[in-house]
Amino acid sequence: MFCKVCYEEITPDNVYHPNQRYCNSCGLNHAKYLSERRQTLNSLREMNLESKIIQTKYLIRQEVSEFGLEKVYISYSGGKDSTVLSHLAKSIYPNILHLFANTTNEYPETIKHIKWEREKNGTNVMTVIPVDAHGEIWNFKKVVERYGYPIFSKRVSNAIRTYQHALSARTKKNSEDYIERNFKKYSKYKELPISDKCCDKLKKEPLRRKAKELGLKCAILGILASESYQREKDWLEYGCNIFHERKDNQSRPISFWTAEDIQEYIEKYNVKISDLYSMGYKRNGCMYCGFGVHLEPKGRNRYQRLKETHPIQYEYFIKNFELFMVDFEVMVK
Ligand code: SF4
Ligand SMILES: [Zn+2]
């Protein structure tokens, strides 16, 4: 194996132990770099809201000057964070394009909010429906039936899909070992219809295809580094604006904001958000998605809550997916 920075051979006496893809000196340099980046992230987070707004607008302008206003778009989910991002971006570029990927698994309040943005708030939102390269239209039920249910977490579902689709006995054994090592608790579900393909089929691929069709070069995402360990790690490596470095250009101009900043902005600037939040929901993700469900309070998980807040959608869920949940040992009643 060779060091991913200097390409020198990695030997037992020249390996950086915490991350064995680096030789010792490159590993130490990288660790120093990450620790400086962490300090930068902490100082950005310590700024007050007005300074954060200035910084965010600067990042959006930087993206527009790099690619041109006609080549950038906001990846809009209708949630709180992307609504704050939209509000901010529109204060500089009122007609900036928003692409909303309708996964066919959206809360009615999300659809209602998108409609309001488009028809009453003058937001330039285009809805992207899940169509694949062959023109086939997809929906959540069809994805689940064809590929498997997105359950537990993206990583667990991915590991199980990899295991189930291994082409050789050796790969199968390796993926089985991987599950045993990293997700032992979920090993017993590995023969069940589980997969992480859903996001690709309903969200990522349709958005990518639409962006390509429209000649768009860079997405603006309303994600926060504080949302997950993976997002924070990604921020430390790449920062807010990632241009010409990875396969897709991205701008994440509010990534150093905290959930409290989002709330403060909404109140201070009187931003209208989806009604879902006043019904006790903290997120507006997909209604039937199973990612993270196992971490929710017993007796009050998303499906049990759906029963109270959205009885019609709950009934559809039970009719179509209850048997899956029985197998996954997820309570729905
Ligand atoms: S969030 Fe969940 S349900 Fe929605 S598209 Fe992604 S995997 Fe599918
Ligand atoms: Zn090296």
Side-chain angles (χ1 to χ4, degrees):
M1 202 155 123
F2 298 91
C3 169
K4 68 180 257 191
V5 177
C6 71
Y7 305 110
E8 268 193 36
E9 190 171 1
I10 294 181
T11 60
D13 345 320
N14 182 26
V15 59
Y16 179 64
H17 286 286
N19 184 342
Q20 306 197 349
R21 290 181 305 157
Y22 293 102
C23 74
N24 198 35
S25 71
C26 292
L28 286 169
N29 281 343
H30 190 64
K32 187 163 167 265
Y33 168 76
L34 290 184
S35 127
E36 286 162 7
R37 296 283 300 153
R38 181 165 296 286
Q39 282 172 24
T40 308
L41 181 57
N42 289 342
S43 0
L44 283 167
R45 281 184 176 147
E46 274 163 20
M47 294 192 312
N48 62 26
L49 184 65
E50 290 311 311
S51 311
K52 283 180 177 165
I53 293 173
I54 293 170
Q55 176 68 8
T56 293
K57 286 187 177 173
Y58 166 78
L59 289 161
I60 298 173
R61 283 200 180 93
Q62 196 183 41
E63 188 208 16
V64 169
S65 93
E66 180 68 26
F67 299 97
L69 187 55
E70 307 311 315
K71 303 279 179 202
V72 304
Y73 68 98
I74 293 182
S75 179
Y76 189 58
S77 72
K80 255 186 191 183
D81 303 346
S82 71
T83 299
V84 164
L85 168 66
S86 159
H87 190 269
L88 260 163
K90 279 173 63 187
S91 71
I92 334 174
Y93 305 109
N95 205 32
I96 189 165
L97 178 65
H98 296 49
L99 294 186
F100 165 65
N102 184 340
T103 61
T104 70
N105 189 1
E106 307 289 342
Y107 285 97
E109 289 75 16
T110 303
I111 301 294
K112 190 175 144 214
H113 184 76
I114 301 285
K115 193 166 181 293
W116 177 84
E117 285 283 357
R118 185 185 294 127
E119 292 173 7
K120 300 273 168 26
N121 201 29
T123 307
N124 181 10
V125 193
M126 183 187 283
T127 296
V128 178
I129 52 165
V131 183
D132 71 14
H134 312 288
E136 187 175 354
I137 297 181
W138 288 82
N139 61 40
F140 182 70
K141 185 165 181 276
K142 194 165 156 184
V143 171
V144 167
E145 284 167 357
R146 186 84 57 90
Y147 295 100
Y149 208 99
I151 192 81
F152 307 126
S153 77
K154 210 168 175 41
R155 292 180 66 210
V156 170
S157 297
N158 177 270
I160 294 180
R161 176 167 69 91
T162 312
Y163 163 79
Q164 292 177 357
H165 290 87
L167 291 175
S168 68
R170 191 162 157 220
T171 340
K172 187 121 184 146
K173 177 79 182 67
N174 286 345
S175 13
E176 193 174 2
D177 292 348
Y178 178 79
I179 294 175
E180 281 300 316
R181 251 194 341 269
N182 297 287
F183 310 112
K184 200 170 175 34
K185 217 171 111 190
Y186 303 98
S187 175
K188 61 178 172 175
Y189 306 114
K190 67 178 181 296
E191 305 299 341
L192 297 177
I194 292 177
S195 156
D196 64 332
K197 277 296 268 184
C198 185
C199 257
D200 290 344
K201 295 299 286 182
L202 300 182
K203 206 164 15 185
K204 288 190 192 152
E205 287 172 12
L207 269 181
R208 200 170 282 150
R209 200 164 301 114
K210 180 55 80 181
K212 196 170 169 205
E213 185 190 312
L214 298 174
L216 305 171
K217 299 281 182 228
C218 188
I220 315 180
L221 310 178
I223 55 175
L224 310 184
S226 57
E227 269 169 89
S228 69
Y229 167 76
Q230 200 49 43
R231 291 215 163 145
E232 183 145 323
K233 199 166 152 251
D234 197 69
W235 192 96
L236 298 177
E237 294 275 1
Y238 297 99
C240 294
N241 281 350
I242 316 166
F243 303 156
H244 316 297
E245 246 182 279
R246 296 202 299 206
K247 193 164 145 238
D248 293 319
N249 297 308
Q250 277 186 356
S251 173
R252 299 132 10 146
I254 58 167
S255 50
F256 55 92
W257 289 40
T258 62
E260 290 73 36
D261 298 325
I262 297 288
Q263 200 50 41
E264 193 183 336
Y265 186 96
I266 290 169
E267 284 163 23
K268 189 165 180 186
Y269 294 96
N270 205 13
V271 180
K272 181 171 158 52
I273 52 172
S274 160
D275 292 343
L276 203 60
Y277 297 101
S278 56
M279 298 166 79
Y281 282 83
K282 298 245 173 340
R283 302 179 61 91
N284 80 321
C286 293
M287 262 185 309
Y288 308 135
C289 188
F291 290 159
V293 68
H294 56 304
L295 306 172
E296 291 175 346
K298 286 212 166 32
R300 191 100 192 101
N301 72 23
R302 69 194 62 176
Y303 304 128
Q304 291 162 326
R305 211 166 27 166
L306 193 71
K307 187 179 179 184
E308 290 163 24
T309 57
H310 298 78
I312 298 170
Q313 287 75 9
Y314 175 78
E315 207 175 295
Y316 172 89
F317 172 73
I318 291 295
K319 191 166 151 238
N320 291 282
F321 308 118
E322 185 179 14
L323 292 180
F324 287 86
M325 297 301 139
V326 171
D327 286 346
F328 304 150
E329 299 175 281
V330 170
M331 301 297 290
V332 293
K333 285 186 170 156

